[in-house]
């Protein structure tokens, strides 16, 4: 049986980019293979966090996982820090990695760019991510395309370890969506939609109100030729809106182009507001029910147990290979 593994950071503001690039795939894969989904709180502390907010955001993301359709009967859902093997394997991988390969990571370069001295955790972040994946023998990693380079590094680390110590890890593959592997910021379609961008209208969060969604879409940056056509290079704004439309409506991009042939951007935006809000209403309704229920904690506790069982077996294998004693 094949297995997929992925994670999302509990940093609040989960947006439709995260949903389209990652969460939506998580849900689809539940019916095709074993699925393990994590809330990666240890990754989020690579930058300063308010402890109270971190706890809240961890449960928020867990509730969002369930609201978008993850089913605890089909998927293992848990919080990273409740399974100590993640940090343990990350250390072992650290000792089998090179500073040169970590310095090449685009996310590290971006996030440390304006800092005089970058936090060490930001630098070693991809090793913890590799540990997450390798612990569960995952063949597939559904993520947005900004994470592709980290998956490449995970593959290199797994292959290096297997060559040095003999077959130990499954070498995982990136799994991206055809449409929407990189949803762009609404105010600047040359940048990816991000949780941390200052302008709140650059993104649509899954918990945004209908009026905020309307404002963000109606203000979205487009171009001046008034032709509704998918062309990422020359028309990044309209192409981004078409991708979002396609994912939320289930229509393919060609059908949407036909539907809006001869129409202005205003009409497309107005309809997109409706399409997005219709989907968000359902997600939000479930979210507010689940977030305050005791069931949420129960599901996470159950997930921890299952994740511990799998990861402990991997750690026994790994420790034996490198010569750590078992008493
Ligand atoms: P951000 O850049 O928005 O702060 P992130 O990438 O740092 O988010 P996560 O919350 O851990 O952090 O991302 C969760 C998932 O969402 C990852 O699989 C990531 O690749 C995906 N993702 C993030 N932004 C986008 C986007 N704009 N389009 C598609 N997928 C995205
Ligand atoms: N680095 C990812 C989050 C992440 C992840 C993982 C994704 C941490 N561990 C394991 C897939 C598999 C991000 O920032 N989006």
């Amino acid at each position: 049986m094949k297995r997929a593994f992925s994670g999302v950071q509990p940093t609040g503001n989960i947006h439709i980019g995260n949903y389209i690039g990652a969460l939506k795939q998580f849900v689809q894969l539940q019916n095709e293979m074993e699925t393990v989904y994590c809330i990666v709180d240890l990754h989020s502390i690579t930058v300063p966090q308010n402890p109270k907010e971190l706890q809240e955001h961890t449960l928020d993301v867990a509730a969002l996982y369930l609201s978008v359709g993850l089913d605890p009967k089909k998927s293992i859902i848990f919080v990273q820090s409740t399974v100590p093997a993640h940090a343990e394997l990350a250390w072992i991988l650290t000792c089998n990695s090179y500073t040169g390969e970590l310095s090449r990571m685009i996310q590290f370069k971006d996030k440390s760019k304006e800092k005089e001295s970058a936090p060490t955790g930001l630098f070693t972040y991809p090793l913890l991510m590799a540990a997450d994946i390798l612990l569960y023998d995952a063949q597939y990693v559904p993520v947005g395309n900004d994470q592709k380079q980290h998956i490449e590094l995970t593959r290199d680390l797994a292959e290096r370890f297997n060559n040095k110590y003999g077959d130990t890890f499954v070498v995982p593959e990136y799994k991206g969506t055809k449409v929407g592997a990189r949803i762009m910021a609404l105010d600047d379609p040359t940048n990816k939609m991000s949780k941390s961008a200052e302008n709140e209208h650059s993104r649509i969060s899954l918990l945004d109100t209908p009026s905020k969604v309307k404002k963000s879409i109606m203000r979205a940056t487009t171009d001046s030729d008034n032709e509704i056509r998918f062309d990422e290079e020359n028309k990044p704004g309209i192409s981004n809106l078409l991708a979002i439309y396609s994912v939320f409506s289930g229509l393919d991009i060609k059908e949407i182009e036909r539907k809006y042939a001869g129409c202005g951007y205003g009409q497309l935006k107005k309809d997109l507001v409706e399409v997005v809000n219709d989907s968000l209403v359902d997600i939000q309704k479930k979210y507010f029910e689940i977030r305050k229920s005791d069931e949420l904690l129960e599901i996470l506790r159950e997930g921890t147990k299952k994740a511990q069982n799998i990861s402990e077996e991997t750690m026994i294998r790994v420790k034996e290979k490198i010569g750590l004693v078992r008493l």
Side-chain angles (χ1 to χ4, degrees):
M1 182 71 161
K2 292 203 183 306
R3 189 181 282 152
F5 180 96
S6 196
V8 172
Q9 298 192 57
T11 37
N13 273 337
I14 297 288
H15 52 69
I16 59 169
N18 302 132
Y19 174 70
I20 296 170
L23 297 173
K24 192 151 191 276
Q25 292 200 80
F26 296 4
V27 178
Q28 281 157 353
L29 290 174
Q30 291 187 117
N31 301 320
E32 297 169 28
M33 58 186 81
E34 276 183 34
T35 42
V36 184
Y37 299 122
C38 187
I39 298 136
V40 291
D41 53 350
L42 294 175
H43 276 101
S44 67
I45 59 166
T46 52
V47 295
Q49 298 289 339
N50 170 316
K52 254 219 118 19
E53 280 176 12
L54 177 57
Q55 276 185 356
E56 291 300 316
H57 289 159
T58 302
L59 299 179
D60 292 348
V61 173
L64 275 173
Y65 270 4
L66 299 170
S67 335
V68 299
L70 288 190
D71 176 351
K73 291 197 196 76
K74 295 179 182 166
S75 293
I76 299 177
I77 301 169
F78 73 105
V79 179
Q80 187 185 33
S81 63
T82 64
V83 180
H86 290 249
E88 205 177 6
L89 182 59
W91 174 250
I92 293 170
L93 294 176
T94 304
C95 299
N96 284 281
S97 65
Y98 297 97
T99 54
E101 57 194 349
L102 295 180
S103 326
R104 285 193 289 275
M105 294 295 111
I106 299 164
Q107 185 171 303
F108 171 70
K109 289 199 255 185
D110 278 355
K111 296 206 167 171
S112 59
K113 196 157 57 193
E114 272 127 39
K115 296 192 167 70
E116 206 175 290
S117 176
T120 311
L122 269 189
F123 188 61
T124 57
Y125 177 111
L127 298 167
L128 178 58
M129 174 163 168
D132 296 342
I133 299 164
L134 299 180
L135 270 178
Y136 297 91
D137 293 330
Q139 279 92 349
Y140 298 110
V141 188
V143 279
N145 83 354
D146 60 312
Q147 295 301 311
K148 225 173 173 173
Q149 197 188 23
H150 289 160
I151 311 293
E152 279 307 313
L153 178 73
T154 305
R155 291 173 62 85
D156 290 347
L157 292 165
E159 280 166 358
R160 184 179 305 151
F161 196 100
N162 289 347
N163 287 334
K164 194 165 165 191
Y165 298 105
D167 243 10
T168 312
F169 294 127
V170 170
V171 180
E173 275 173 45
Y174 160 80
K175 199 161 180 50
T177 45
K178 273 201 209 87
V179 177
R182 189 178 177 82
I183 293 294
M184 308 311 277
L186 296 175
D187 61 338
D188 174 7
T190 60
N191 273 324
K192 86 164 185 131
M193 184 176 285
S194 160
K195 290 173 182 167
S196 47
E198 233 166 78
N199 179 1
E200 58 162 353
H201 292 291
S202 67
R203 62 183 160 261
I204 296 172
S205 295
L206 293 186
L207 299 179
D208 275 349
T209 60
S211 69
K212 154 77 173 44
V213 171
K214 185 173 178 190
K215 258 192 206 141
S216 304
I217 292 179
M218 296 315 285
R219 287 180 189 185
T221 303
T222 52
D223 52 57
S224 53
D225 79 5
N226 238 10
E227 189 191 346
I228 297 177
R229 174 168 57 83
F230 190 84
D231 175 352
E232 280 177 312
E233 202 179 317
N234 300 307
K235 297 169 68 68
I238 284 297
S239 303
N240 194 39
L241 296 182
L242 286 171
I244 297 170
Y245 197 126
S246 166
V247 172
F248 282 103
S249 66
L251 296 173
D252 115 359
I253 289 188
K254 283 267 160 272
E255 279 175 75
I256 307 170
E257 281 177 342
R258 272 197 299 274
K259 179 168 166 164
Y260 288 95
C263 296
Y265 292 169
Q267 188 60 47
L268 175 75
K269 284 181 166 180
K270 221 169 118 238
D271 293 353
L272 180 59
V273 170
E274 227 171 278
V275 166
V276 172
N277 275 334
D278 279 353
S279 303
L280 294 193
V281 164
D282 290 341
I283 294 174
Q284 292 176 6
K285 193 166 161 271
K286 286 194 203 135
Y287 174 82
F288 290 111
E289 276 166 26
I290 297 166
R291 180 62 180 85
K292 53 178 195 302
S293 75
D294 294 336
E295 201 196 338
L296 182 63
L297 298 182
E298 239 350 276
I299 289 169
L300 291 175
R301 286 191 196 110
E302 224 13 71
T304 299
K305 276 192 220 150
K306 291 181 187 159
Q308 261 166 356
N309 287 340
I310 303 173
S311 61
E312 272 165 18
E313 273 184 34
T314 310
M315 286 314 292
I316 290 172
R317 219 161 66 218
V318 170
K319 285 180 177 174
E320 189 162 311
K321 287 274 167 65
I322 60 179
L324 302 180
V325 284
R326 200 165 155 217
L327 302 173

